[in-house]
Amino acid sequence: MRVLFATSEVFPLIKTGGLADVSGSLPTALQNLGVDIRILMPGYPAVLNKLTNLQAIATFDNLPVIHNAALMMGTIAETQVKVMVIKSAHLYEREGGPYADANGLEWLDNPVRFGILSKVAAILSGPNSPITDWQPDIVHCNDWQTGLTPAYMKLVEHSQAKSIISLHNMAFQGCYAPGWLSTLALPSTNFTIEGFEYHGQLSFLKAGIFYANAVTTVSPSYAKEIQTAAFGFGLEGLLSKRGNEIKGILNGIETDEWNPEADPHLVKNYSATTLAGKKLVKAALQEKLGLHIDASAPLLGVVSRLTHQKGLDMLVPILQKLVDAGCQLALLGSGESALENAFRTLAVSNPTKVNVTIGYNEPLSHQIMAGCDMFIMPSRFEPCGLNQLYGLAYGTPPIVNATGGLADSVVDTNIITFKNKTANGFVMSEASPTSLLSCIKQALNVFNNDANAWKQIQKNGMTQNLSWDKSALEYLAVYQTLNKSA
Ligand code: ADP
Ligand code: GLC
């Protein structure tokens, strides 16, 4: 089975969020199952620098807008997964992130940057591919950035391969003015409700959902939620037409990268049977961040994009109460400036209790995950979420809202779940500051008063199998079903 995995970010090459984690680890797990998989992504400078054995393997000379581009292939040293990159200095080699410049402003030519990514994926799967010795059976697309691929495959390239799109977040759809249609050489006859038109705009994500042979998303709960108006971001009608076909497959974690027993970013490694080591990591984190070094002070952790989705605005009005009750907070993240400022202000007024790092910092994210006692993730919606899974693996019970992948991976602590040893965190009853406060108080009650019970909750999470083993098999089953279909 040959699979082309098209994506816009891949850890450890380039990362803005969970999509990179998934695009780094799922192809590795599939490769270990015997799938002949290649990633396709844009040739951002970091990607060109980090791949090993990078070589030009083909050229395209008939692309929209840029006409020519080279295709290069290299491998990710850590996993030996092959990555094909589109080399176009004009489109991808610039300072800034994959989607926006250093000030957070989206690149104005994103429709071309990701239109070309989508188009190249489609060409590689069809009769006009410049690569003759490797044709995929399956093209696996991810999010809006590769949403046009299934449309190009079906309408333009007449590809025989099957397409699948995985939805990682319905909040981002890639909707652009209709003028882009001709620029991207898409057939205008399909600019209708039964095609890629969405409220008068060209929608990359709708194109993917409409034309893909299979649609998956990253948790079973989110698969149901996105068929409702509250979570479908306007595409719930189209999604509910595909109904039961939409499969929710919970993300796994890369256990080589996120494992407290072998994490190089920690002063001391630990496991479910050597939890004492976690205390040293906590003390080191408190010291590093200028927090009062106190083993008994409950240390709350946050690593997150600071956006409406993540619900951290609910933590702002209750944080002082928690600090007054003895808690500390270590927060790492960036996003909406009002929220960044609100947390900065709380840090200034509580210098030894609240530490706020605005920015992106890979080592610190591991240290917070390991050094904190609880991980706070009150998301309003969460397609899967990886941080709560990292919290489980690191003995840092997550405190979450009951939505999407959070609901599918965190088991609230109560008498029954504690007895049957499934309790691994704390789940809010609704998305509100009051509910978050009462949920954290329940966790504090156990943490402060019953060390053995707390240890049991930590161990329940740490001994779960959170790896890709099971989920990669589910993707393989989807590929196999598609391969057999007409
Ligand atoms: P999302 O992709 O919606 O942001 P996920 O929980 O799926 O949420 O994944 C987020 C990923 O990005 C995790 O690997 C997390 O550790 C990482 N991350 C988020 N913010 C930061 C940050 N400021 N510094 C380092 N890593 C971060
Ligand atoms: C998106 C979602 C997140 C998910 C990630 C990877 O960024 O917001 O919930 O874990 O994709 O699938």
Side-chain angles (χ1 to χ4, degrees):
M1 166 111 51
R2 286 178 172 164
V3 176
L4 181 66
F5 192 91
T7 182
S8 55
E9 51 179 282
V10 177
F11 183 84
L13 306 172
I14 187 152
K15 166 170 166 178
T16 70
L19 175 61
D21 290 357
V22 172
S23 303
S25 49
L26 173 58
T28 315
L30 287 163
Q31 181 163 283
N32 292 340
L33 291 174
V35 175
D36 180 2
I37 194 160
R38 291 185 186 182
I39 294 172
L40 174 73
M41 69 183 307
Y44 313 114
V47 174
L48 299 173
N49 286 336
K50 287 186 196 162
L51 284 172
T52 55
N53 298 326
L54 194 62
Q55 284 170 7
I57 55 167
T59 51
F60 301 94
D61 43 26
N62 219 355
L63 293 172
V65 191
I66 55 166
H67 308 296
N68 306 313
L71 188 70
M72 305 190 78
M73 187 158 81
T75 45
I76 301 177
E78 291 85 345
T79 59
Q80 292 302 304
V81 171
K82 292 194 174 88
V83 182
M84 298 198 284
V85 297
I86 306 167
K87 172 104 174 66
S88 165
H90 176 67
L91 288 186
Y92 306 124
E93 290 168 46
R94 36 179 101 155
E95 300 269 312
Y99 317 116
D101 66 17
N103 298 318
L105 285 178
E106 279 208 19
W107 302 114
L108 291 177
D109 59 350
N110 275 348
V112 185
R113 299 173 74 241
F114 299 108
I116 293 293
L117 173 62
S118 297
K119 173 81 177 173
V120 167
I123 295 174
L124 289 173
S125 74
N128 299 320
S129 175
I131 297 183
T132 48
D133 62 347
W134 196 89
Q135 280 252 322
D137 305 297
I138 303 283
V139 181
H140 189 155
C141 307
N142 292 278
D143 276 352
W144 73 266
Q145 294 88 344
T146 50
L148 290 184
T149 302
Y152 278 125
M153 284 171 71
K154 187 161 183 173
L155 306 173
V156 184
E157 297 300 327
H158 308 294
S159 164
Q160 295 301 309
K162 297 289 179 349
S163 59
I164 147 172
I165 186 157
S166 292
L167 308 173
H168 299 264
N169 198 330
M170 293 301 299
F172 305 105
Q173 302 192 354
C175 286
Y176 298 104
W180 288 104
L181 213 66
S182 59
T183 314
L184 293 171
L186 285 162
S188 57
T189 41
N190 300 86
F191 189 63
T192 67
I193 196 158
E194 295 289 309
F196 30 67
E197 185 260 352
Y198 179 71
H199 293 289
Q201 292 200 300
L202 162 65
S203 167
F204 277 48
L205 190 64
K206 186 183 170 197
I209 297 169
F210 192 84
Y211 290 104
N213 297 107
V215 180
T216 67
T217 183
V218 288
S219 69
S221 288
Y222 196 60
K224 294 200 190 85
E225 288 169 353
I226 56 178
Q227 297 177 47
T228 68
F231 296 93
F233 285 89
L235 292 177
E236 59 276 5
L238 174 61
L239 288 163
S240 53
K241 267 197 204 150
R242 301 201 73 158
N244 289 337
E245 260 187 79
I246 301 172
K247 205 168 160 48
I249 304 176
L250 199 67
N251 289 333
I253 69 175
E254 178 58 68
T255 44
D256 285 344
E257 194 60 34
W258 291 94
N259 174 4
E261 273 185 274
D263 191 326
H265 303 298
L266 309 184
V267 291
K268 177 85 187 158
N269 291 114
Y270 63 92
S271 69
T273 50
T274 56
L275 266 170
K278 187 172 162 77
K279 295 204 169 81
L280 300 177
V281 182
K282 175 174 175 178
L285 180 67
Q286 287 172 320
E287 185 177 12
K288 175 175 179 161
L289 300 179
L291 297 171
H292 184 51
I293 301 173
D294 177 356
S296 68
L299 177 51
L300 317 183
V302 170
V303 178
S304 186
R305 291 186 287 120
L306 298 176
T307 63
H308 184 74
Q309 171 188 347
K310 301 294 177 180
L312 287 157
D313 50 294
M314 294 184 246
L315 184 58
V316 173
I318 62 170
L319 188 60
Q320 195 59 52
K321 276 200 189 95
L322 290 166
V323 169
D324 295 343
C327 292
Q328 298 182 349
L329 173 75
L331 178 144
L332 167 65
S334 65
E336 289 162 15
S337 51
L339 204 47
E340 290 181 354
N341 290 336
F343 280 115
R344 276 197 188 107
T345 306
L346 282 157
V348 170
S349 42
N350 299 281
T352 60
K353 301 280 186 72
V354 175
N355 180 270
V356 170
T357 309
I358 300 299
Y360 185 90
N361 185 328
E362 197 73 32
L364 183 58
S365 74
H366 285 246
Q367 288 151 4
I368 289 180
M369 205 50 87
C372 288
D373 297 302
M374 322 170 183
F375 191 80
I376 312 294
M377 200 163 170
S379 309
R380 292 192 168 82
F381 66 94
E382 196 60 76
C384 178
L386 291 164
N387 275 322
Q388 84 282 10
L389 302 179
Y390 302 148
L392 293 174
Y394 279 68
T396 310
I399 294 178
V400 304
N401 186 29
T403 184
L406 300 177
D408 292 341
S409 58
V410 181
V411 180
D412 188 38
T413 300
N414 58 40
I415 295 172
I416 297 166
T417 58
F418 185 73
K419 263 200 175 149
N420 68 20
K421 299 200 166 137
T422 54
N424 61 14
F426 297 84
V427 180
M428 297 154 66
S429 53
E430 59 169 33
S432 70
T434 325
S435 172
L436 177 59
L437 181 61
S438 81
C439 196
I440 295 176
K441 278 186 176 163
Q442 282 175 34
L444 291 176
N445 190 26
V446 184
F447 181 84
N448 290 330
N449 304 315
D450 192 341
N452 284 335
W454 188 258
K455 216 180 244 179
Q456 186 60 54
I457 296 166
Q458 287 178 297
K459 285 186 178 177
N460 291 347
M462 293 178 89
T463 51
Q464 278 180 260
N465 182 357
L466 301 165
S467 76
W468 273 102
D469 296 353
K470 185 169 160 284
S471 301
L473 282 172
E474 290 188 56
Y475 278 103
L476 186 57
V478 176
Y479 298 162
Q480 282 163 341
T481 309
L482 279 179
N483 237 358
K484 279 189 216 128
S485 64

